Amino acid sequence: ISTNALMEQLYLKYQQRPWTETLKLVHFCMDKPRRSPVSNAPDGPLLSCMEKLQRTLNDKSLFSVMSRLESLSKQKGLNSHVSPSGTACYITSNMFYIEVQLEKDGRVMDAKLAHLGEAPVVKWIVIGFSIVRMKNYDAFGKVLEDLSNLYQIPGNSEMKAKAYLALQSLEKDLYAMSLLDRTQDVNRVTEVLHGKVGHLVPRTGGTPMNIEFYISPYQILEAELNPGSLVRGTKAVVTVEGTDILHKLPLSPLLVDSQVGEDGNPTFLPLTNELSINLSAYFLLKFHQPIPLSLSKIEEIQMHTGICHLVSGIQITVLKLAPLYDLIIQSTLKEKCSEDLSTRKSHFFVSLPDCPKHCYFINTGSEKSNLAGALVSKIPFTHPKCVPAVIEILRHQMAYNSLISSCVSDKRIDEDDSELLYFEVAPHKNTSFSVFFIHPMRENLACVMIDVVTSREVQCSLHLHPQDPTPNSSDGFISRSVK
């Protein structure tokens, strides 16, 4: 039977029935949570069609808004029901519920969120309330997903509630640490680069706490030249995740009255049996995009966290290692969204104002020693004291990566090669590398050795052939320029 004939039959069959009756029939058929992708589910086509209809129709009535909320909760595997008055929708799971109060014309009056054992949060987070009120259902669906993800822990409801309590305790300690040594007039960039835990934004409902811990010199300059502009640095979200192994996690904040020890580090209470619990879970710093980390930095992080895996639970001994520079190049080109990563490329053209174009050849080295690295998407840990040290290691690596990635470009040029200046960038050891180029007045090679000592300190030294004249640039001047 043709599609047109089928549609004609359906039209004739339901022509005499009111639209509300048809809608009730569709909802009756859909009245179960989605447990598999649309393409694999028997009711997949029905769900897909209903979603398209709901996206197209304007929500101008109580019934249509309620229908969208019920449908959305089913898509996310949650339960929902309407109050006897018909003006409140409850979206529930075993661990939390959301109450959405509506006017009779479909306008949202209030939205409350309550976790297991907690009182409802009136006006729920401002963000969550505004999302529902603006009928941004895609964003609201993401909020529901984030709330559900808080409880993806093995065990019963009691264990899941304990994991949520542990996450709350960690968040309170991290927030207290963010206030240490903080002055009232500190700006965001200073917090990002120097704060013990970077620039911290607390969790709001299901949206995880996030930590912004690095911002590049280019981004700093952009923020200074464009006051009020929203320049985004590198962030990590803080969350808890289930594992196959038991870990001891705190059940209450451990930071001692925001005190700092003699070594400048925060002081914590000992993790006793009364203050902790063994759970099949650990805390995570998760990145939106995987970060290239050198093998030596991965080992440093493991030393501080005491957990010997960083990428998807894989042991360090079987991590997919690759030349670190290859990983930095791939990540940089992926960020620019303009390069086929399947094509290996080792030379890049970079344009600078009032300068001849540069061509950088990047010697990627090998997998040997600490010149190798891996892409890391999340870092597990079990104690809040690990976070400042891990943040500092990540800043150090990001500063190094920023320098290497500044030599990477997606530009192609068809100009005469004689107008190009050529440079070779080669890894040296740890967080140092060399830049080779032709001496501007002779034909011998010159070299600048760049050592990224910390995320805030760079040391450079110029090396020339003994018979070549020395340019009017001291090592200090070069270091300040690179910084």
Side-chain angles (χ1 to χ4, degrees), residues 263-274:
D263 57 357
N265 293 320
T267 303
F268 295 92
L269 295 170
L271 201 60
T272 61
N273 292 332
E274 292 75 20

Side-chain angles (χ1 to χ4, degrees), residues 84-154:
S85 66
T87 58
C89 180
Y90 296 89
I91 300 173
T92 64
S93 76
N94 293 335
M95 305 307 300
F96 67 89
Y97 77 87
I98 294 172
E99 176 187 346
V100 181
Q101 293 281 352
L102 301 168
E103 297 274 13
K104 290 189 177 181
D105 60 0
R107 287 184 299 173
V108 177
M109 293 172 53
D110 198 3
K112 299 178 183 179
L113 167 67
H115 291 274
L116 183 67
E118 292 184 357
V121 180
V122 179
K123 270 285 194 300
W124 175 26
I125 45 173
V126 175
I127 297 174
F129 174 68
S130 62
I131 285 173
V132 184
R133 191 161 197 173
M134 294 297 291
K135 298 184 175 64
N136 186 343
Y137 295 107
D138 288 337
F140 188 56
K142 181 63 170 63
V143 169
L144 295 180
E145 285 182 14
D146 288 337
L147 283 168
S148 298
N149 289 338
L150 288 176
Y151 297 103
Q152 299 303 312
I153 307 297

Side-chain angles (χ1 to χ4, degrees), residues 9 18 55 58 61 75 93 97 111 125 150 188 209 234 240-243 256 285 341 378 435-436 458:
Q9 289 182 23
R55 285 178 182 274
N58 291 324
S61 69
Q75 291 174 35
S93 76
Y97 77 87
I125 45 173
L150 288 176
R188 173 175 147 260
M209 171 183 280
T234 305
V240 63
E241 187 172 284
T243 69
V256 181
L285 291 175
L341 299 184
K378 55 188 181 182
V435 181
F436 297 92
V458 179

Side-chain angles (χ1 to χ4, degrees), residues 32-48 51 74-77:
K32 57 181 179 180
R34 179 188 296 176
R35 303 196 182 279
S36 57
V38 171
S39 57
N40 297 330
D43 57 353
L46 183 62
L47 287 164
S48 179
E51 288 171 21
K74 288 181 174 66
Q75 291 174 35
K76 304 305 177 183

